[in-house]
Each structure stands twice: as C-alpha cells, then as structure tokens.
Amino acid sequence: MIFSVYINTEIKKRLISMKSFINKKKFLKTLGFGVLLVMMCVLTFVCHATVSAQATDTPVPTGTTVNTNSNESTNPDDAYLEGDLGGLTFQFSGDGTGSLSATLQILLILTVISLAPSILIMLTSFTRIIIVLHFLRTALGTQTTPPNQVMIGLALFLTFFIMSPVFARVNTEALQPLSAGEITIEEAFDAGMHPIREFMFDQMEGSEKDLSLFLEIAGIDSIETRDDVPTSVLIPAFILSELRIAFIIGFMIYIPFLVIDMVVSSTLMSMGMMMLPPTTISMPFKILLFILADGWDLVIGNVVKTFYG
C-alpha cells in the first residue's frame, strides 16, 4: 500500500515537472517568434520609408526628360526609371556617382558589425595582448584575478590605442570618401584594407617564414612587392606570427616566477613539509615580486612597444 502511494506521488511529480518544462519551451518559442516578428516589422518599415524618401527626394538627372505616359527617358545614357507598384512610387537612379542609398548603407553597417569581432581579434594587436595577459595571470598563480572581463577590456582599449593611427587612415581614405559618394564600394574596400595590410606587414618583419609557408601552400612563387601578396595569404601568416611572438613573451614572463616556485618548493622539501602545496606559499611571494618590480608597467609597456619597434 505504501509502495503504491509512493509510486503515484512520484508519477504526479514527474507529470508536473514535464508540464512546466513544456510550458517553458512554449514560452521560449513564443518569445522567439515575437522577437523575429518585431525585427521583420522594423526592417519592413525602414525599407518602406527609404523607398518612399527616394521616390519623393531623388532629383531627375540633368538632360533627362521623364515621360509619365510611357515611363521612358529621352536620354539613353542615363538609367533612370520610374514606376508604380501597388500604389508605391519607386525610382532608381544610375548616374554612376557611387552614392549609397540608405538601405544599402544599413545593410553595409550590419555586415560590418557582424564581422567586427573577427576583424578586431584577428587583424589587430588584440591577439598578442590577450595571450600575454593570460600567460601573466597563469604565471602569477591567480586563477581568476584579474577576471576575464577586466583582461578583455584592458586588451580591447590597448588595441584601440595601438590601432588608432590605422583606424584614422581607414576613416580618412575609405569611409569618408565612400559616404561622400566619391568612390565605389570596391574602391573603398581596397583603400580601407591598405593601412591594415601595411600594419600586418610591419609586424611580420623578421618572421617572413610564416608568409613564405602560406605562399608555398597557395602555390604562389613570384612575389616582388607587398601588393603581390593576396590578403587571403597575409591574414593567416599574420595570425601565426602573432601567436609565435605572444608565446615568446609569455615564456620570458614565466622565468622569474618559475624561479620563485623552485626556491619555495626546495625549501619546503628541506623542511619536511611535503604535504603542503608549494603554490600556496609561493603565490604571495610572486605577487610581492610583481608589485615591487612595478610589473604592470613593465609588461604592458613592453608589449605595446613591440608594435612600434
């Protein structure tokens, strides 16, 4: 009797937990569908407002006469169309000025935002800085101090500081002319990649073997200038070079802290304290050495200087 009551109670608990789990899944699905619907409505409103603005504000190119009856232009050199679709008037101007519509600008901005983390991590100084900071924290023996948020934030702002001349050139040579309609998107991409390529080439001086490795893999033999190196070959070579430099700096950071660990460990062994973990005793001494040597200034200053050497 008691066993049957226990079985019925457990079955009721399971059913209640299953119902709550199903309700949670339904709620999450409904929430996701609602967010997707709101995003679609916002995009539809933006596109509708953009097309309406173009239909009312886009001027007719000089020398072009629009026939409202036949929708044909008397100037065959300009691609200028006007029509009506469901009560919505639309116009397309192909005057070749290279100016971007608001919809295309929004699409371009969203694309750049989606690729920004990869560009920031792989094509800048971020990789070297964050690896060195992780080596420093591991050498000190502090597992979560400084926390990851602080280390990533420090590496991010140091990256902005180091890359500010490059970003300024990208803004001056690519973004501003593109916004003004002076160059096309392809020309803006080439102009924006030129400062970044120069930065990567400058950081790879002295380690051309990484570039030679990927040129050999890609089957490219004749390279005379930097312009002959494809970007698809330059980027992985730069990342490999950054990893090598970061590991070399990390090894140099490890040496003084390793000496402290060896001294503490040998001292504990001579005193017969074999059950006491050496890291527990050595960590305060390593922190004290790091403070007395003004370690943050030494590490951060020398890491930043490696990009200007």
Side-chain angles (χ1 to χ4, degrees):
M1 182 67 181
I2 297 175
F3 181 75
S4 62
V5 172
Y6 174 77
I7 293 296
N8 292 330
T9 306
E10 289 296 325
I11 291 175
K12 289 181 180 179
K13 289 182 180 179
R14 298 295 181 183
L15 290 175
I16 293 173
S17 62
M18 289 179 63
K19 288 181 179 179
S20 62
F21 178 73
I22 292 173
N23 291 332
K24 289 181 180 178
K25 291 187 66 178
K26 289 182 179 179
F27 174 74
L28 292 176
K29 288 182 179 179
T30 306
L31 181 61
F33 178 75
V35 172
L36 181 61
L37 184 60
V38 170
M39 291 178 63
M40 291 178 63
C41 292
V42 171
L43 290 176
T44 304
F45 174 77
V46 170
C47 294
H48 183 273
T50 303
V51 174
S52 300
Q54 290 180 350
T56 56
D57 298 337
T58 303
V60 179
T62 305
T64 303
T65 304
V66 180
N67 190 346
T68 56
N69 295 326
S70 59
N71 290 330
E72 294 180 356
S73 174
T74 59
N75 189 354
D77 295 332
D78 294 328
Y80 185 81
L81 300 177
E82 181 178 355
D84 182 76
L85 180 60
L88 177 63
T89 304
F90 60 92
Q91 297 175 348
F92 297 95
S93 176
D95 53 357
T97 58
S99 59
L100 294 177
S101 63
T103 305
L104 189 56
Q105 288 180 358
I106 293 173
L107 180 61
L108 183 61
I109 291 173
L110 292 177
T111 304
V112 172
I113 290 175
S114 62
L115 297 177
S118 299
I119 296 173
L120 180 64
I121 292 173
M122 295 302 174
L123 304 186
T124 62
S125 58
F126 184 86
T127 302
R128 186 188 305 183
I129 296 172
I130 194 66
I131 291 177
V132 170
L133 290 178
H134 275 284
F135 270 116
L136 176 61
R137 187 174 68 179
T138 307
L140 283 172
T142 55
Q143 300 297 326
T144 58
T145 305
N148 291 330
Q149 294 84 352
V150 175
M151 295 180 63
I152 293 174
L154 177 60
L156 187 63
F157 282 103
L158 288 175
T159 301
F160 289 152
F161 172 76
I162 295 169
M163 300 295 297
S164 57
V166 179
F167 292 156
R169 287 187 57 188
V170 172
N171 182 42
T172 304
E173 299 176 5
L175 295 180
Q176 291 183 0
L178 180 63
S179 300
E182 299 174 358
I183 58 178
T184 61
I185 298 179
E186 293 80 7
E187 294 173 347
F189 178 79
D190 294 336
M193 283 299 299
H194 184 68
I196 300 177
R197 283 172 57 90
E198 286 187 355
F199 172 79
M200 290 190 287
F201 275 118
D202 293 338
Q203 299 307 315
M204 291 177 59
E205 289 184 356
S207 58
E208 287 81 4
K209 58 182 180 180
D210 299 324
L211 186 60
S212 302
L213 171 64
F214 285 97
L215 287 174
E216 181 182 355
I217 295 174
I220 301 174
D221 298 329
S222 59
I223 296 296
E224 297 180 356
T225 61
R226 290 181 173 183
D227 296 333
D228 297 333
V229 179
T231 305
S232 59
V233 173
L234 178 60
I235 291 177
F238 169 74
I239 296 172
L240 190 61
S241 175
E242 288 293 291
L243 291 175
R244 177 182 291 106
I245 296 173
F247 271 72
I248 292 174
I249 298 175
F251 172 75
M252 300 300 294
I253 291 174
Y254 247 100
I255 292 178
F257 300 109
L258 183 61
V259 172
I260 294 177
D261 285 334
M262 293 176 62
V263 171
V264 172
S265 178
S266 61
T267 304
L268 291 177
M269 290 287 292
S270 63
M271 296 176 63
M273 298 180 180
M274 293 178 292
M275 300 300 294
L276 183 63
T279 56
T280 306
I281 306 300
S282 63
M283 187 176 67
F285 289 99
K286 290 190 288 186
I287 295 176
L288 179 63
L289 174 65
F290 189 72
I291 294 173
L292 293 177
D294 202 2
W296 287 114
D297 284 345
L298 288 175
V299 173
I300 300 300
N302 285 282
V303 169
V304 172
K305 290 177 181 178
T306 57
F307 293 96
Y308 295 96

